[in-house]
Each structure stands twice: as C-alpha cells, then as structure tokens.
Amino acid sequence: MAGTVAERDAPKLEDGHLSSALGSPLQGDVCFPRLIVPFCGHIKGGMRPGKKILVMGIVDLNPESFGIRLTCGESEDPPADVAIELKAVFTERQFVRNSCVAGEWGEEQSSIPYFPFIPDQPFRVEILCEHPRFRIFVDGHQLFDFYHRIETLSAIDTIKINGDLQLTKLG
C-alpha cells in the first residue's frame, strides 16, 4: 500500500521548501492552496505587530484594476469584516484603501506620491502590520500607512486577491 491518506496529504520537504499534497508551497504563516486569481488563503494565527504579508505578481497587459483584501474570515453572508482593502485602479492611476466594519465601509483614502504599477510588469507588495497601522511597501518603497480600524488583529486571518494580475508568490 502506498501509505495512509494522512501520510500522503502531510506537508513534505522538497527542494528546501515545504509542499502540500496539492503541490503548492507553504510559505511562512500564510497557507494557500494554489496561486490562482481570484485567490483566497488563510493567514495562520491572524495578524499581529511585526507580521508581514508579501504579495508578488505580474500586472496583466491591459489592466483595469486589482485588489488585495485582509479580512476577518471568509464569510460572504453576512460579509466578513475587511481590515484593509487595497485596490489599484489603472484608469485613475490610484491605489485606494479602505475597510469595512460591521457592513459599513469607512472613508476611502487615495493619496499617494506616485502610482507604482505598470501593465505587464512584475510587482512586490508588502503589508507590514504594526501596532497602530498597516505600513504598505511597493517594490521596496514605503507608499503609505493605513491606521487600523479593526482592533483585534488576530481576527484578521484571510487574504483575498482578485483582478487583473497573475500571482507569482505569497508569503
């Protein structure tokens, strides 16, 4: 017999990286099945000061927008609270952010020093959780801060990504 189901589905070490039975890498504290957009993955233990989420990808050739959300669970009905939504809007060259708590969207923020995304080019977004805020970096440059509107950081345990991009790495 080729082993039990538990043995076959357990993470394995391959080329120095943990891999699940689905063939997807398990990187850091973010656990995800496959890098297919739209994407939804679990953040192990939720967010906390010092924790960083890394999203790497390639913008589509003719993009309209793409979005990254950190949410408190995956629920659609009622909708999960959104701790931060980052949305790159190419027609307006804006990188907007907002949150939704108890079904109510807050005030959208859109001020940025420059628009960092280019069609058909790779990018690297880092979301660093600090005590009072998320600090957002794109391609190694700090772009803006977003102050927490959800107090229980550990409840922020899901990442959702959609839109006009290809994901290449999450961590």
Side-chain angles (χ1 to χ4, degrees):
M1 185 172 227
T4 67
V5 171
E7 289 171 340
R8 284 195 316 265
D9 292 342
K12 297 173 182 65
L13 189 62
E14 297 176 2
D15 299 322
H17 294 89
L18 282 175
S19 295
S20 70
L22 297 174
S24 302
L26 300 172
Q27 299 171 346
D29 290 332
V30 181
C31 195
F32 41 85
R34 290 201 171 101
L35 298 179
I36 297 172
V37 177
F39 172 84
C40 182
H42 181 71
I43 301 168
K44 184 179 175 184
M47 295 301 290
R48 65 181 177 277
K51 192 171 220 175
K52 186 188 323 185
I53 301 293
L54 170 67
V55 177
M56 293 177 68
I58 301 170
V59 177
D60 285 353
L61 185 58
N62 295 304
E64 290 181 22
S65 67
F66 70 80
I68 302 168
R69 285 184 175 189
L70 299 184
T71 65
C72 300
E74 299 179 39
S75 176
E76 298 292 333
D77 189 27
D81 285 346
V82 178
I84 185 170
E85 176 184 61
L86 304 171
K87 188 171 184 179
V89 183
F90 287 82
T91 53
E92 300 171 17
R93 297 183 57 79
Q94 289 290 326
F95 196 27
V96 296
R97 53 261 182 217
N98 205 346
S99 66
C100 183
V101 181
E104 296 289 324
W105 284 96
E107 185 176 336
E108 186 175 271
Q109 299 174 8
S110 60
S111 173
I112 53 173
Y114 63 95
F115 187 70
F117 303 104
I118 301 169
D120 202 32
Q121 292 297 310
F123 66 87
R124 174 187 180 107
V125 172
E126 295 171 88
I127 304 169
L128 175 62
C129 183
E130 295 183 345
H131 181 67
R133 67 186 165 243
F134 291 111
R135 188 157 270 182
I136 309 303
F137 297 83
V138 178
D139 296 330
H141 300 282
Q142 183 185 341
L143 205 57
F144 52 79
D145 291 341
F146 185 83
Y147 286 84
H148 297 305
R149 298 177 184 173
I150 291 179
E151 293 181 17
T152 309
L153 299 179
S154 62
I156 306 167
D157 64 357
T158 303
I159 181 169
K160 296 180 177 185
I161 303 170
N162 64 11
D164 303 320
L165 76 158
Q166 300 167 42
L167 290 173
T168 57
K169 182 177 181 180
L170 289 178

